[in-house]
Amino acid sequence: MKIMIINPNTTASMTEKMAQAARKVAAPGTELIATQPADGPVSIESHFDEAISAIGVLDTIREHQADAYVIACFGDPGLLAARELTAAPVLGIAEAAFHVASMISTRFSVVTTLARTGIIAEHLLDQYGFASHCRKVRATDLPVLALEEDNDSAYEHLYQECLLAQKEDQIGAIVLGCGGMADMAERLTEALGMPVIDGVTAAVKFAEALVGLNCYTSRFGDLAPPPAKPFIGRFEYLSTRA
Ligand code: 5HY
């Protein structure tokens, strides 16, 4: 099966780091393609960044056929719109990580980048029904690209915040709040002796499971393909006919 990992920001080094983590867990026979849009924000740290990045995600899905797709940004930008566009399973890394955490612990915390994106994570916890499982969303106040620029110092920041979560939050697991942290989950799990979950690898394994189960996104209800219509101006290329 072919799984496409889409990094919604345009930073290729972060895409490659996520692909490396995914290759470690992918089943034999799973072909992984990792990509990022040519247009969009270099990092996603606001509602605005998310809104613009979602267009890149949707264009990528329209242009590339795969058996499943992973949206590798912790805000899951464009997830439901993407599920309208294709019956192939589309996994958001936040949703996937929350599911894993809730299956291996009764309470978890999220450790993310900026405080302002922590609020986006809280919105998703509510939307997906995991708010009661999550003790706390913690911010390291690391900008997303700090994970690319100074990985060791970023790791130390993350480790210290995870340590505080372990000491103070009465939790059984930690969810990492950024796709750019995919390379740190194994090391943090070892250092803390507690499960630290990365959404990219979680989403890849869920994608394999759904395709293996022959489970595809329902074409009924609100995830049915969007009604055909003309689009005007710079979005004319999205026009569809009935
Ligand atoms: C992410 N931003 O996973 C989110 C993390 C965040 O560019 N990739 C990004 O801070 O919300």
Side-chain angles (χ1 to χ4, degrees), residues 107-172:
R107 293 288 179 274
F108 61 86
S109 285
V110 175
V111 178
T112 191
T113 55
L114 302 179
R116 65 179 298 158
T117 60
I119 293 164
I120 296 175
E122 286 167 8
H123 286 179
L124 291 180
L125 286 161
D126 283 331
Q127 187 187 327
Y128 298 147
F130 287 105
S132 62
H133 295 255
C134 183
R135 280 262 194 242
K136 195 167 184 173
V137 175
R138 292 169 168 271
T140 57
D141 280 327
L142 281 172
V144 169
L145 290 185
L147 297 161
E148 297 305 297
E149 285 141 16
D150 187 346
N151 198 269
D152 289 344
S153 143
Y155 174 82
E156 195 46 42
H157 265 90
L158 201 50
Y159 172 67
Q160 292 304 330
E161 197 61 43
C162 289
L163 208 50
L164 283 178
Q166 186 181 46
K167 280 196 185 123
E168 298 170 1
D169 300 354
Q170 295 175 318
I171 52 173

